Amino acid sequence: EKIIKDISRNSTQRDGMDISIVKINTKDNSVEWAGAKNPLWIIKKDKKLIDIILGDKQSVCYNEELKPYTNHRLKLKSEDLIYLFTDGYCDQFGGEKNKKFGRKRFKEALLNYRDKAMVEQKSHLVYEYINWKNKLEQIDDLCIVGIRF
């Protein structure tokens, strides 16, 4: 926290960064996670919905009154999934009406592919993204990290 405050105080840049950071203990399937504006999505093996843990509503670096980030501790079971991602996938314009892909459509895609191997999920998400944006330019960075326990 002190390092982040020092960077913010000494920076002339007035732009922040939205991130997630996760620490996974593979011995007991425990997860520690914190997010700066970005959420953590969880799909439990026995559920057909996505649990969402929201990140704190402040970016890293620039913030007038920097507060400590919330550290979430979770215990997951075998075959549970977590996803961390940037907003680039959901914010991409495309489709027939040149609208954003959106979080609703992204959730549906993850739920549809949840039983597939992670490499297959990646292939499906890349295929959907390319078809969605069609010939439009990519507007933002894309990063999706999916982890199956």
Side-chain angles (χ1 to χ4, degrees), residues 4 6-18 59-64:
I4 293 172
D6 288 345
I7 291 169
S8 296
R9 193 175 310 119
N10 297 325
S11 177
T12 57
Q13 182 177 345
R14 294 294 179 232
D15 195 11
M17 178 173 55
D18 303 345
S59 295
V60 171
C61 196
Y62 178 70
N63 200 318
E64 292 294 327

Side-chain angles (χ1 to χ4, degrees), residues 5-133:
K5 281 185 179 177
D6 288 345
I7 291 169
S8 296
R9 193 175 310 119
N10 297 325
S11 177
T12 57
Q13 182 177 345
R14 294 294 179 232
D15 195 11
M17 178 173 55
D18 303 345
I19 65 166
S20 286
I21 188 164
V22 65
K23 176 181 165 186
I24 299 171
N25 183 330
T26 57
K27 290 183 174 92
D28 66 359
N29 286 351
S30 63
V31 173
E32 286 186 62
W33 171 82
K37 289 196 173 178
N38 285 347
L40 173 71
W41 286 6
I42 305 164
I43 302 178
K44 302 246 179 166
K45 180 183 178 186
D46 55 349
K47 288 188 178 177
K48 300 262 188 236
L49 55 93
I50 296 178
D51 293 327
I52 299 172
I53 301 176
L54 298 175
D56 292 301
K57 293 184 178 185
Q58 66 180 357
S59 295
V60 171
C61 196
Y62 178 70
N63 200 318
E64 292 294 327
E65 295 181 33
L66 194 64
K67 298 177 185 120
Y69 291 91
T70 307
N71 189 32
H72 300 269
R73 289 178 174 82
L74 312 162
K75 185 83 166 164
L76 298 175
K77 295 180 182 172
S78 180
E79 298 302 311
D80 287 349
L81 298 153
I82 62 170
Y83 295 94
L84 306 114
F85 50 90
T86 61
D87 58 2
Y89 195 97
C90 297
D91 287 350
Q92 179 62 50
F93 288 97
E96 291 178 16
K97 297 180 180 177
N98 197 24
K99 296 200 176 242
K100 288 185 178 184
F101 190 84
R103 287 192 179 220
K104 181 181 178 188
R105 192 174 281 112
F106 185 49
K107 283 181 193 176
E108 290 169 0
L110 293 179
L111 287 169
N112 286 338
Y113 306 139
R114 65 181 295 206
D115 294 326
K116 299 194 179 300
M118 300 310 286
V119 70
E120 288 182 74
Q121 289 186 34
K122 176 185 175 183
S123 295
H124 285 289
L125 290 170
V126 168
Y127 179 80
E128 278 199 40
Y129 178 81
I130 290 169
N131 283 332
W132 179 260
K133 80 175 192 68

